[in-house]
Amino acid sequence: MTSLPELHELETLLALGKDHFQAEVVCTVQSGTARYPVYKIVMGNPDPALPAVGFFGGVHGLERIGSQVLLAFLRGLLSRLQWDKTLHHLLDQMQLVIMPLINPGGMANHTRCNPRGVDLMRNSPVEAGVAVPFLLAGQRFSRHLPWYRGEIGQAMEMENLALCAVVQQHLLSRRFSIALDCHSGFGLRDRIWFPHAHTHHPIPHLAEIWALAELFQTSYPHHRYLIEPQSLRYLTHGDVWDCLYLQTPPDHIFLPLTLEMGSWLWVKKNPRQLFSRLGMFNPVATHRWQRVLRSHLVWLNFLMSAAAGHGAWVADGPRRCRLQELAVLRWYRP
Ligand SMILES: [Zn+2]
């Protein structure tokens, strides 16, 4: 048994689900004498004409809850695959890719960064063009300070190269795809962020983001997510999702989203968590942890259904222009 419980749970699920999906080690990370595999799991219909969804977690090693949400989801999927015909029907119309633990070395070491001291979400070559928060936006001074981007001109870290290869192969290659990267740590509310992170300029697919947000609001009223561009909160250098989004082929739609679970709420309810590094980013009380694990399942299932049924809600022509206008008014009005 590995000393990393999330990796142990993942490998247990891989053994249980071997008849239902393909799993592959996309890279192996070294940390001291330990070596950790980074897995991708692929299920559903491989037809490249069909849409795809990717779920990602564990990019920041301290934010264990992101991996745990995806592992709980995966365990539920495995059970449902035994009996749920609607799930089989859904997976027949799309492909699903899951990378629940992208930075196992960081998680084992209890660090946000990877074992080489690099913050994977500041590590892409994308540069913010305007004034950004000092250090937080990413820095190249030292790997001993937080938010270290790595050396200028170097290739991205191997975890990121593996992540990018998976996204390019399974998501960017499709005419329609959605990614969700699960994090925790900012604010009192659960947020869904969309690019850009490096500039205040709206993305070309703002109309599709607006339509997706409206679809969720009308299909699952009273949800608690705040959906907004990341640039509304703070800009950063080196965001990997910005980097991947900028690679979207002209006739494809790729919507990379980040689930930013509002961990300040957990700390507010249990201030003792302030004194633990993991407590700043993860729910500690059992009932709160269970609530977090179950509360995002609706959103994950919704994204799969929304991708499979995108033909019914993605707009074009004048309606698309109208949605774009509404989104600009909502999120980008000065
Ligand atoms: Zn994070």
Side-chain angles (χ1 to χ4, degrees):
M1 177 177 161
T2 165
S3 58
L4 186 52
E6 287 80 359
L7 184 56
H8 176 65
E9 167 72 353
L10 174 54
E11 290 181 334
T12 303
L13 295 176
L14 295 183
L16 286 172
K18 61 183 189 308
D19 297 333
H20 294 291
F21 49 66
Q22 302 99 50
E24 194 183 309
V25 175
V26 288
C27 73
T28 303
V29 178
Q30 185 93 27
S31 177
T33 56
R35 289 167 65 78
Y36 300 98
V38 176
Y39 289 99
K40 79 167 177 185
I41 299 161
V42 181
M43 62 183 98
N45 195 327
D47 181 350
L50 294 173
V53 169
F55 294 141
F56 304 89
V59 164
H60 288 138
L62 288 174
E63 300 165 20
R64 310 183 84 114
I65 188 68
S67 290
Q68 292 167 3
V69 163
L70 292 183
L71 290 168
F73 174 71
L74 185 57
R75 190 170 266 281
L77 270 189
L78 277 183
S79 171
R80 287 168 56 202
L81 283 166
Q82 316 289 329
W83 60 269
D84 189 345
K85 285 185 180 172
T86 63
L87 177 60
H88 283 281
H89 181 64
L90 180 60
L91 287 170
D92 215 31
Q93 298 167 70
M94 58 167 298
Q95 188 162 67
L96 177 63
V97 187
I98 310 181
M99 289 179 76
L101 184 39
I102 292 169
N103 178 13
M107 199 171 285
N109 296 341
H110 296 187
T111 60
R112 173 184 168 94
C113 57
N114 75 353
R116 287 161 38 82
V118 176
D119 186 329
L120 296 175
M121 231 3 102
R122 303 289 187 275
N123 180 228
S124 88
V126 175
E127 299 281 334
V130 293
V132 291
F134 180 61
L135 293 184
L136 168 71
Q139 52 84 19
R140 294 199 194 274
F141 303 120
S142 165
R143 64 183 72 244
H144 303 296
L145 293 171
W147 304 297
Y148 180 59
R149 298 187 61 192
E151 278 180 41
I152 195 161
Q154 293 289 303
M156 280 192 283
E157 295 297 298
M158 69 158 65
E159 298 92 333
N160 269 342
L161 293 175
L163 167 63
C164 290
V166 168
V167 172
Q168 285 155 352
Q169 181 187 347
H170 295 284
L171 302 184
L172 286 168
S173 60
R174 309 278 176 133
R175 291 181 64 86
F176 185 94
S177 62
I178 299 175
L180 182 74
D181 184 17
C182 302
H183 289 251
S184 59
F186 180 89
L188 289 165
R189 285 187 64 176
D190 291 337
R191 290 158 203 267
I192 304 296
W193 277 342
F194 57 87
H196 294 113
H198 75 289
T199 169
H200 290 294
H201 289 294
I203 58 171
H205 295 104
L206 197 59
E208 285 73 25
I209 295 281
W210 181 268
L212 183 73
E214 252 196 352
L215 191 70
F216 188 56
Q217 174 62 34
T218 52
S219 307
Y220 297 92
H222 317 299
H223 72 79
R224 296 169 61 85
Y225 296 106
L226 186 59
I227 301 176
E228 60 183 15
Q230 183 184 332
S231 59
L232 214 54
R233 298 298 148 193
Y234 56 89
L235 296 183
T236 67
H237 300 296
D239 186 279
V240 175
W241 295 108
D242 274 19
C243 183
L244 286 163
Y245 178 72
L246 293 169
Q247 299 170 30
T248 310
D251 56 341
H252 288 196
I253 298 172
F254 171 52
L255 308 178
L257 309 172
T258 295
L259 165 60
E260 187 71 37
M261 289 175 254
S263 67
W264 299 356
L265 187 66
W266 311 327
V267 175
K268 189 175 156 192
K269 289 185 174 172
N270 185 9
R272 274 179 306 168
Q273 287 184 217
L274 264 179
F275 299 103
S276 121
R277 217 157 27 132
L278 286 173
M280 290 286 287
F281 299 94
N282 302 282
V284 171
T286 304
H287 68 280
R288 203 164 289 129
W289 176 74
Q290 289 172 331
R291 188 186 308 142
V292 172
L293 291 193
R294 67 177 176 263
S295 66
H296 300 294
L297 299 178
V298 168
W299 173 246
L300 299 175
N301 284 310
F302 164 77
L303 290 179
M304 290 171 64
S305 299
H310 72 279
W313 59 269
V314 168
D316 57 8
R319 180 169 152 71
R320 184 174 191 272
C321 293
R322 180 68 190 137
L323 297 181
Q324 186 96 6
E325 279 173 14
L326 288 169
V328 168
L329 282 174
R330 166 73 178 79
W331 287 312
Y332 295 92
R333 200 167 36 181

